[in-house]
Amino acid sequence: MVLCQGDEAAAVPAAGGKEPEVSLSWEDGAGTGQPCLCPAPGVEAAGAEERRVCGCCSGLSWPRCCKAPGTKKKAACPGLGLFYTVLSAFLFSVASLFLKKIEDVHSVEVSAFRCVFQMAFVLPGLIYYKTGFLGPKGKRVFLFFRGFLGSSAMILLYYAFQVMPLADATVITFSSPVFTSLLAWIFLKEKYSIWDLLFTLFAITGVVLIARPPFLFGSNVTGIEGSYTDHLKGTIAAITSTVSAASTFVILRKVGKSVHYFLSIWYYAVIGLIGCVIALFVMNEWHLPYCGKDRVFLILIGVLGLGGQIFLTKALQIEKAGPVAIMKTMDVVFAFILQIIFLDHLPTWWTVGGALCVVASSSGTAIRKWRQSLKKAKQNEI
C-alpha cells in the first residue's frame, strides 16, 4: 500500500509479512492532515478489504481519487470572477439609484447607516479570526488614515450622487486608478511612466467635459440636475472622493498583508460612523426618514452595498486584478442605463465623451499594470 506523504521513500511493514517499498506523500490540497491510502503503482491488493478509499476525497476509491497520479483536478468555473465583478457593479449601481430616490435623508446620514451595516458584517469576522480591534501598534496610524480617508470618500460620493446626474458622478469616480498611480509615484516612489502621464491627462479631460466649467463652455450649461452651482459642488465632491479613495489604496499598499482585511474594513466603518454622527449633530440633520419608502431604501442601500463589496472581494480572490478592473467599467454602463430608464435623464454628448475618456484612461492603466505583473511573474519563474 502507498501512504501518500511527499516524495520521501520508506518501507512499511505489513502485519502478515513483507510488502514492497512504498513512497510517502501528503495530500497538500486536502487540508485535513489525513494520510491517503492508495495502491502502489504495479501492486495489486491482496483482497477486497485492501481496496481502501482515499482520505483526501469523499469516499472514492483510488482509481477515481481526485488526488491520484494522472488524475486532473476539477477546474474552476471559467469566467466566474468576471461574473462576480459584473454582479458587484450592478449591485453598486442599484444602490446608487436608490440613493437618488431618497428625498429627505442627508448623504451623511445615509453613510452612517452604511457604516452600521459594515460593522455588523465585520464584527463576527474579527472575533472569529481573533485579530483584535486595534491592530498592530506600528500600523494603527495607517489604519486610522485608511478609515478616515475611506469614509470621507464614501460621504463625498454619496453627496455627489444626490446633487448631480448618476452617470456623471459614477464616471468621475473611475479616474481613481489614475490618481492611485500618481500618488504611489509621489509617496511610494513607484515608477511613473509617460503612459501614466498620458492616462492622467485623459482622465482630467474626461472630468472637464463632465464638469464643463463656464470659463471654457460659457454660462449656458445644459444636461445638469438643478442649478449649475450644485452641479459644480457635486463635481468637486466626486473628485475629492476619488482622490481620497486613491489615497486609501496607497495606504493599503503600504500596509500590505500585515493587517487582516477585516480589520481594515472595521476601521473604515467605525471611524466613518463616528465622523458621520458628529457631522449630523453639527449640521442638525439627524432624523429618521418621514417616509416609509425612504427607510426601505436606506436598508436596501446598506444590503446592496455590502453585497457589492462581497462579490468584488470574491472576484479578486479568484481572478487577476487587471481583468477585474476592466470589467468593473460596467459600473458606468449600468449607471447610464439606470439613469435613462428610472430617472428619465438622457446624458449629454459631453457626458458621453467624458465617460469615454475616463473609461479609456482607467482601462489603459489597469491593462498596463496587469501586463507588468504578468511580466514580473514570468521573470520570477525564471
Side-chain angles (χ1 to χ4, degrees):
M1 299 293 294
V2 172
L3 178 64
C4 301
Q5 173 141 345
D7 295 331
E8 301 174 351
V12 182
K18 293 184 178 180
E19 270 192 10
E21 279 195 349
V22 295
S23 61
L24 299 172
S25 68
W26 280 115
E27 295 298 336
D28 44 18
T32 60
Q34 299 285 338
C36 172
L37 296 176
C38 305
V43 178
E44 295 291 338
E49 67 275 8
E50 293 294 328
R51 293 192 179 96
R52 300 190 180 184
V53 297
C54 175
C56 63
C57 299
S58 302
L60 296 178
S61 58
W62 174 74
R64 296 168 60 198
C65 170
C66 65
K67 300 293 183 179
T71 306
K72 294 182 179 179
K73 293 177 68 175
K74 185 178 179 181
C77 179
L80 184 61
L82 299 182
F83 171 75
Y84 284 153
T85 307
V86 175
L87 183 57
S88 169
F90 178 74
L91 294 178
F92 280 134
S93 299
V94 175
S96 303
L97 174 65
F98 288 152
L99 181 62
K100 294 287 292 182
K101 289 289 188 179
I102 290 181
E103 298 175 356
D104 298 319
V105 183
H106 198 277
S107 59
V108 179
E109 187 171 351
V110 178
S111 302
F113 275 93
R114 171 74 181 274
C115 289
V116 170
F117 273 91
Q118 296 270 69
M119 292 174 63
F121 171 74
V122 172
L123 184 59
L126 293 179
I127 297 173
Y128 177 79
Y129 290 108
K130 298 179 182 179
T131 61
F133 297 95
L134 297 178
K137 288 185 178 180
K139 305 295 182 181
R140 292 174 186 174
V141 174
F142 294 109
L143 286 171
F144 172 81
F145 281 106
R146 181 268 183 271
F148 175 75
L149 292 170
S151 57
S152 299
M154 174 183 62
I155 296 170
L156 291 168
L157 179 60
Y158 281 2
Y159 175 77
F161 279 140
Q162 286 189 331
V163 299
M164 67 187 303
L166 180 63
D168 290 15
T170 303
V171 167
I172 291 176
T173 61
F174 264 81
S175 58
S176 179
V178 178
F179 288 109
T180 302
S181 298
L182 181 60
L183 293 175
W185 171 59
I186 295 173
F187 295 104
L188 302 181
K189 308 304 179 183
E190 293 187 2
K191 186 177 179 180
Y192 191 80
S193 67
I194 189 67
W195 283 106
D196 294 311
L197 177 60
L198 181 63
F199 293 143
T200 302
L201 295 177
F202 258 92
I204 293 174
T205 301
V207 172
V208 169
L209 290 177
I210 292 172
R212 282 167 284 166
F215 67 89
L216 290 177
F217 294 85
S219 56
N220 296 324
V221 179
T222 60
I224 62 175
E225 292 180 0
S227 65
Y228 180 76
T229 301
D230 287 339
H231 181 80
L232 187 59
K233 289 180 180 178
T235 301
I236 295 173
I239 296 172
T240 308
S241 171
T242 301
V243 175
S244 298
S247 302
T248 63
F249 295 149
V250 173
I251 292 174
L252 290 174
R253 192 176 297 176
K254 175 70 175 179
V255 172
K257 297 181 180 180
S258 60
V259 176
H260 198 280
Y261 67 92
F262 269 172
L263 193 60
S264 175
I265 300 175
W266 173 256
Y267 267 81
Y268 171 91
V270 171
I271 295 176
L273 181 60
I274 294 173
C276 288
V277 171
I278 293 174
L280 287 170
F281 277 105
V282 170
M283 297 185 299
N284 196 25
E285 289 284 350
W286 178 261
H287 63 270
L288 287 175
Y290 298 112
C291 176
K293 182 179 67 174
D294 286 348
R295 299 178 186 179
V296 174
F297 284 156
L298 274 177
I299 296 174
L300 290 175
I301 289 172
V303 173
L304 292 172
L306 183 59
Q309 281 194 336
I310 291 173
F311 281 112
L312 183 58
T313 302
K314 288 179 70 68
L316 289 169
Q317 286 176 342
I318 61 178
E319 185 60 80
K320 297 185 186 299
V324 170
I326 297 170
M327 189 59 68
K328 203 175 182 306
T329 56
M330 288 299 296
D331 269 351
V332 177
V333 177
F334 287 133
F336 274 98
I337 294 174
L338 294 177
Q339 176 176 301
I340 295 171
I341 296 176
F342 294 101
L343 301 178
D344 196 24
H345 185 91
L346 289 174
T348 63
W349 287 110
W350 294 114
T351 299
V352 174
L356 292 176
C357 288
V358 172
V359 169
S361 174
S362 60
S363 299
T365 302
I367 293 172
R368 185 173 175 275
K369 296 294 182 184
W370 180 27
R371 292 184 61 183
Q372 285 179 343
S373 64
L374 292 177
K375 184 178 180 181
K376 187 176 181 180
K378 289 181 179 180
Q379 290 176 347
N380 291 335
E381 289 178 0
I382 297 174

